């Protein structure tokens, strides 16, 4: 056991939290996957559990590998990865999977593995690191808005525009996280207000274009409208998934029905991913619900501590930039399940089944652990790194 601990660095509490979340996910995923087996007719419950465990093991492999990389490489690496993720997003829009006849081009199929990869999650991670790099480089300088439009907001705008057609919720969350990160990073408030205004105008134009030319992106804006109006309108027929989730939560009680005894998992279409929290509440009750919330807030607490202990501005912004979205995504997923928020399609990090979400969460946590393991970095040694030099070192 001692030998294992000598190989892992960084905040041990984060390692423990990740392990606990992974272990806690086994029973809910196994139980909730009965919907896929008996209703959809896809595989077996044991098969889905084994697949989930395999994806988690791969995730832990990513976590371990990334936490061993000195975090200064992530600074220049984000510059190198930007054009790659832009190309991946364009390819995804052109070739992505369509689900149920609706334009939901979010995934590309990984050859030979048979797993779908959601490119927007990788793009979000790269973009947040890039924003952290920009803010750290310009922390002591007077920022000129016109220059920052090209250096900072042009890459942000391109990536958000490419994610938006297929995934509004991810676009909105990513934009909010970037605005929050720029605020924490000392970007002038008047410029942030300008950017928010430009973002609202851009979204309005996008909706007008889609409304004017409905064949360009069928069903997307209509889907957003239905979800938002359905949430706020008392007269409209309640969303089927939300209705079943509320029944699951209402019947859970204090201690729940017990592991594997959920009834609503047989009727809830996304029971093992988007609505897994509802199944957890039904089977483990208020106790299970509060335990999951507590673990995510404990993770938030450790992320804040890692950010405060960081020795450079870039490290602090990196930890905040890639760490807060994990907890924010968890809060949104749980809020949707209890009908406090419109349906978004966001998974519960490290608990919901799904490869890309697990891998990118582990990648982000690996970067945080890399920061918490590093003690001797200076601002100059990180931000003066030429991305091409990093590429040369890596090769």
């Amino acid at each position: 056991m001692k030998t294992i601990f000598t190989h892992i660095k960084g905040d041990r509490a984060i390692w423990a939290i990740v392990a606990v979340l992974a272990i806690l996910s086994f029973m809910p995923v196994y139980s909730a996957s009965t919907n896929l087996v008996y209703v959809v007719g896809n595989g077996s419950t044991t098969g889905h559990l084994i697949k989930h465990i395999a994806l988690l093991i791969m995730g832990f492999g990513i976590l371990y590998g990334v936490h061993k990389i000195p975090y200064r490489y992530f600074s220049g690496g984000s510059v190198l990865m930007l054009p790659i993720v832009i190309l991946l997003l364009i390819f995804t829009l052109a070739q992505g999977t369509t689900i149920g006849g609706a334009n939901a081009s979010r995934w590309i199929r990984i050859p030979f593995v048979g797993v779908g990869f959601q490119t927007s999650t990788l793009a979000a991670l790269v973009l947040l690191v890039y924003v952290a790099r920009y803010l750290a480089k310009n922390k002591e300088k007077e920022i000129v808005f016109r220059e920052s439009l090209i250096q900072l907001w042009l890459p942000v705008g391109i990536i958000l525009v490419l994610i938006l057609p297929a995934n509004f919720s991810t676009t909105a969350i990513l934009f909010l996280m970037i605005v929050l990160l720029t605020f924490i990073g000392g970007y002038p408030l008047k410029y942030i207000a300008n950017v928010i205004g430009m973002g609202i105008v851009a979204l309005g134009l996008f909706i007008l274009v889609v409304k004017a030319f409905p064949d360009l992106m069928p069903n997307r804006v209509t889907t957003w409208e239905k979800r938002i109006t359905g949430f706020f309108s008392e007269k409209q027929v309640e969303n089927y998934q939300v209705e079943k989730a509320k029944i699951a939560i209402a019947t859970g009680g204090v201690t729940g029905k017990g592991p594997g005894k959920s009834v609503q998992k047989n009727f809830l279409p996304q029971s093992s991913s988007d609505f897994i929290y509802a199944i957890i509440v039904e089977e483990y009750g208020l106790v299970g619900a509060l335990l999951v919330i507590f673990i995510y807030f404990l993770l938030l607490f450790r992320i804040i501590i890692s950010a405060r202990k960081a020795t450079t501005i870039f490290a602090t912004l990196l930890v905040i930039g890639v760490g807060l979205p994990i907890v924010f995504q968890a809060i949104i997923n749980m809020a949707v399940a209890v009908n406090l928020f419109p349906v978004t399609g966001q998974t519960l990090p490290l608990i919901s089944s799904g490869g890309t979400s697990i891998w990118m969460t582990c990648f982000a946590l690996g970067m945080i652990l890399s920061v918490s393991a590093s003690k001797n970095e200076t601002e100059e040694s990180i931000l003066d790194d030429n991305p091409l030099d990093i590429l040369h070192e890596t090769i």
Side-chain angles (χ1 to χ4, degrees):
M1 185 65 72
K2 191 178 178 181
T3 2
I4 296 171
F5 285 121
T6 55
H7 288 290
I8 63 170
K9 308 293 181 186
D11 191 318
R12 296 287 170 85
I14 291 179
W15 279 104
I17 290 165
V18 174
V20 167
L21 283 171
I23 293 165
L24 285 178
S25 73
F26 293 169
M27 277 307 297
V29 167
Y30 179 74
S31 175
S33 61
T34 54
N35 180 275
L36 293 170
V37 177
Y38 299 112
V39 179
V40 182
N42 179 11
S44 66
T45 50
T46 309
H48 284 292
L49 177 62
I50 291 169
K51 182 183 176 183
H52 178 66
I53 292 172
L55 291 169
L56 278 171
I57 291 169
M58 291 170 73
F60 270 86
I62 292 168
L63 178 65
Y64 179 80
V66 172
H67 106 287
K68 287 286 189 182
I69 301 170
Y71 76 85
R72 65 187 180 90
Y73 287 132
F74 304 132
S75 172
S78 65
V79 180
L80 291 172
M81 283 298 295
L82 265 182
I84 295 171
V85 296
I86 287 170
L87 288 173
L88 277 173
L89 287 171
I90 293 169
F91 177 76
T92 306
L93 273 178
Q95 303 294 325
T97 307
T98 301
I99 298 175
N103 178 16
S105 302
R106 304 179 184 183
W107 293 269
I108 52 174
R109 186 66 56 183
I110 301 174
F112 312 113
V113 181
V115 176
F117 186 81
Q118 196 167 341
T119 48
S120 59
T121 54
L122 174 62
L125 201 56
V126 170
L127 190 58
L128 286 163
V129 178
Y130 177 82
V131 172
R133 171 191 167 89
Y134 173 86
L135 293 169
K137 281 179 78 74
N138 292 277
K139 183 66 178 173
E140 304 301 326
K141 300 175 186 174
E142 186 181 345
I143 293 175
V144 179
F145 185 57
R146 191 172 295 177
E147 289 177 5
S148 70
L149 282 177
I150 304 296
Q151 297 170 7
L152 174 62
W153 296 111
L154 181 62
V156 168
I158 290 170
I159 288 178
L160 290 178
V161 163
L162 290 172
I163 296 174
L164 178 62
N167 200 334
F168 173 74
S169 60
T170 298
T171 309
I173 291 168
L174 181 54
F175 182 67
L176 285 173
M177 288 296 105
I178 289 169
V179 167
L180 179 62
L181 189 58
T182 51
F183 173 73
I184 294 168
Y187 191 77
L189 274 175
K190 58 180 179 180
Y191 297 163
I192 292 175
N194 289 343
V195 169
I196 292 172
M198 290 162 68
I200 292 168
V201 170
L203 177 62
L205 285 172
F206 174 80
I207 292 170
L208 286 173
V209 168
V210 173
K211 285 280 192 182
F213 305 97
D215 293 337
L216 279 177
M217 290 164 202
N219 301 333
R220 293 316 299 155
V221 173
T222 311
T223 303
W224 304 345
E225 284 178 341
K226 282 180 181 176
R227 285 178 177 177
I228 294 167
T229 55
F231 177 76
F232 287 107
S233 173
E234 293 181 4
K235 296 179 182 178
Q236 194 152 332
V237 178
E238 193 162 25
N239 183 291
Y240 175 79
Q241 294 183 101
V242 174
E243 185 186 348
K244 295 300 176 188
K246 285 170 74 175
I247 294 170
I249 290 164
T251 53
V254 177
T255 55
K257 294 180 176 178
K261 294 182 179 178
S262 164
V263 174
Q264 297 308 315
K265 66 186 180 184
N266 299 308
F267 308 102
L268 204 51
Q270 302 294 331
S271 57
S272 63
S273 52
D274 298 1
F275 284 90
I276 198 165
Y277 187 67
I279 306 303
I280 291 170
V281 179
E282 186 181 7
E283 293 188 349
Y284 301 95
L286 182 64
V287 175
L290 292 176
L291 177 64
V292 172
I293 292 170
F294 173 74
I295 293 170
Y296 280 115
F297 274 95
L298 190 59
L299 177 61
L300 174 63
F301 179 66
R302 297 310 304 181
I303 286 168
I304 292 168
I305 286 177
S306 296
R308 285 180 64 85
K309 286 184 176 178
T311 55
T312 64
I313 295 166
F314 172 71
T316 300
L317 293 172
L318 174 69
V319 170
I320 292 169
V322 302
L324 287 189
I326 298 171
V327 180
F328 192 63
Q329 183 181 328
I331 292 168
I332 287 177
N333 176 277
M334 293 183 284
V336 168
V338 298
N339 200 32
L340 291 175
F341 209 75
V343 176
T344 60
Q346 298 296 316
T347 55
L348 194 59
L350 296 172
I351 291 183
S352 294
S353 60
T356 312
S357 174
I358 292 170
W359 295 341
M360 290 301 105
T361 301
C362 287
F363 202 109
L365 290 167
M367 288 194 274
I368 293 168
L369 289 167
S370 174
V371 170
S372 65
S374 175
K375 305 295 177 191
N376 303 316
E377 297 283 7
T378 63
E379 211 72 58
E380 291 74 22
S381 68
I382 296 163
L383 300 175
D384 288 345
D385 268 340
N386 187 314
L388 295 177
D389 292 339
I390 291 173
L391 183 62
H392 177 71
E393 281 185 47
T394 309
I395 294 169

